[in-house]
Amino acid sequence: MGQSIEANQNNFATEVIERSQHQLVLVDFFAQWCGPCQILKPILEKLVGEYDFTLVKIDIDKNPELAQAYRVEGVPDVKVFSQGQMQSGFVGVLPEAQIRELLAQYGLKSALETELAAIQIDRASGNIEAAKQRFSQLIELYPQNPKLAIAAAEFLIGIGSLESAEKSLAAVPSGNREYDAKVKALRDLMQWQHNATQLVPETDLDRQYLQAAQLTLKGNYEPALSILLAMVERDRKYQNDAARKAMITIFGLLEDDHPLTKSYRKQLTLALY
């Protein structure tokens, strides 16, 4: 994790120029009266908690000389310093994802993202206890992180701990379009799993439906989608359109830009019409 500090004319050279010789520094030129600055502030504070960089905040009204020296014409204005030199930054409010891309251009990796990737490896290899331990450690470090809460819920659903998963989802604040969609998809997945556990398999379609549910829990989305698509093509009315609804749930888990979502959404449309 990085750190967030305030700087001024007197310590700018030390806190920015010298520090950037060994660590990336983002300088946030802001103003108290600036609305967009207040929107950007929590985004930068969140990211500095995940990445190894220093966030230096400079109030332009208290430091007009610095604002003039670094040609700040509008706020927020974020300047990037590396190896003692100013690099490309951005003006205005960028989405969190774009700022993450900017940090990646400088070779920075999120500690949270790295740990979540390690958890996926543990999960895929069946090392559930190791994954649980990693999640516990991450939640202590990032107790208010919505992305972590969602990832924890997805993991808990996968091991059948639906009640704990719901508690994790309840901790995710509403009002964020991205998070709201993911939370809905996970709750749909829990409902699907509940329905599947109540099903006594009597037909081939029953068995295929259960197999797709099990594959989805393990994160094996492509074979699950393949099975569900075949079910839609064979019997659209099965369990009140359950196969199509299950595919929509998986699309929500993967999100719209995922290649599997794009491919199988087209195939589903062709199968329906």
Side-chain angles (χ1 to χ4, degrees):
M1 295 187 291
Q3 60 179 327
S4 177
I5 61 177
E6 294 184 4
N8 53 45
Q9 179 73 33
N10 296 327
N11 62 4
F12 185 88
T14 300
E15 299 294 0
V16 176
I17 305 301
E18 293 182 15
R19 186 184 297 272
S20 73
Q21 295 287 356
H22 55 83
Q23 184 184 47
L24 192 73
V25 176
L26 268 63
V27 180
D28 177 21
F29 286 95
F30 75 99
Q32 297 291 347
W33 45 261
C34 166
C37 295
Q38 305 310 314
I39 296 173
L40 181 63
K41 180 180 177 180
I43 298 175
L44 294 176
E45 293 285 359
K46 174 185 176 182
L47 294 176
V48 81
E50 293 184 32
Y51 292 82
D52 184 21
F53 71 91
T54 294
L55 174 63
V56 176
K57 294 174 287 187
I58 296 178
D59 188 329
I60 62 168
D61 292 325
K62 295 179 179 179
N63 300 277
E65 302 89 349
L66 285 175
Q68 183 177 9
Y70 288 95
R71 299 180 181 179
V72 176
E73 297 180 355
V75 285
D77 189 340
V78 177
K79 309 289 187 182
V80 179
F81 286 79
S82 177
Q83 301 296 315
Q85 301 295 320
M86 187 173 73
Q87 311 294 332
S88 298
F90 62 90
V91 178
V93 180
L94 285 187
E96 180 182 320
Q98 290 188 29
I99 303 177
R100 288 182 185 274
E101 290 175 3
L102 174 66
L103 295 173
Q105 291 174 12
Y106 290 95
L108 296 190
K109 293 183 179 180
S110 162
L112 176 58
E113 296 288 350
T114 300
E115 282 299 300
L116 287 176
I119 286 173
Q120 289 300 320
I121 294 174
D122 286 336
R123 179 183 174 185
S125 62
N127 198 345
I128 302 303
E129 289 304 316
K132 285 182 179 179
Q133 186 175 358
R134 286 183 188 273
F135 266 122
S136 296
Q137 293 170 347
L138 287 177
I139 290 171
E140 287 184 9
L141 290 172
Y142 310 104
Q144 305 298 324
N145 190 289
K147 188 170 185 177
L148 175 58
I150 288 171
E154 190 168 5
F155 170 76
L156 290 166
I157 293 170
I159 62 174
S161 299
L162 300 188
E163 185 175 344
S164 296
E166 179 54 43
K167 289 180 180 178
S168 187
L169 290 178
V172 179
S174 60
N176 181 294
R177 187 175 180 180
E178 176 188 356
Y179 296 147
D180 287 350
K182 193 73 172 183
V183 168
K184 181 183 183 303
L186 288 171
R187 287 193 168 124
D188 289 344
L189 176 60
M190 286 194 286
Q191 184 60 52
W192 176 18
Q193 298 307 314
H194 173 74
N195 294 342
T197 58
Q198 303 302 308
L199 179 63
V200 178
E202 297 178 351
T203 68
D204 287 342
L205 286 174
D206 289 339
R207 286 184 280 274
Q208 289 171 12
Y209 185 67
L210 290 173
Q211 183 183 8
Q214 292 166 357
L215 287 168
T216 302
L217 281 180
K218 295 177 181 178
N220 296 328
Y221 299 118
E222 185 166 15
L225 285 167
S226 179
I227 290 170
L228 293 167
L229 179 64
M231 291 178 66
V232 170
E233 293 171 338
R234 180 176 173 183
D235 185 357
R236 171 74 186 276
K237 297 181 180 180
Y238 172 77
Q239 294 286 340
N240 192 27
D241 206 16
R244 182 190 66 83
K245 292 176 181 177
M247 291 186 73
I248 298 300
T249 294
I250 296 177
F251 295 158
L253 295 171
L254 295 173
E255 301 180 357
D256 291 340
D257 291 335
H258 196 284
L260 287 177
T261 299
K262 293 179 179 179
S263 173
Y264 277 92
R265 183 168 276 156
K266 289 181 181 178
Q267 294 181 64
L268 177 60
T269 300
L270 291 174
L272 295 176
Y273 304 103

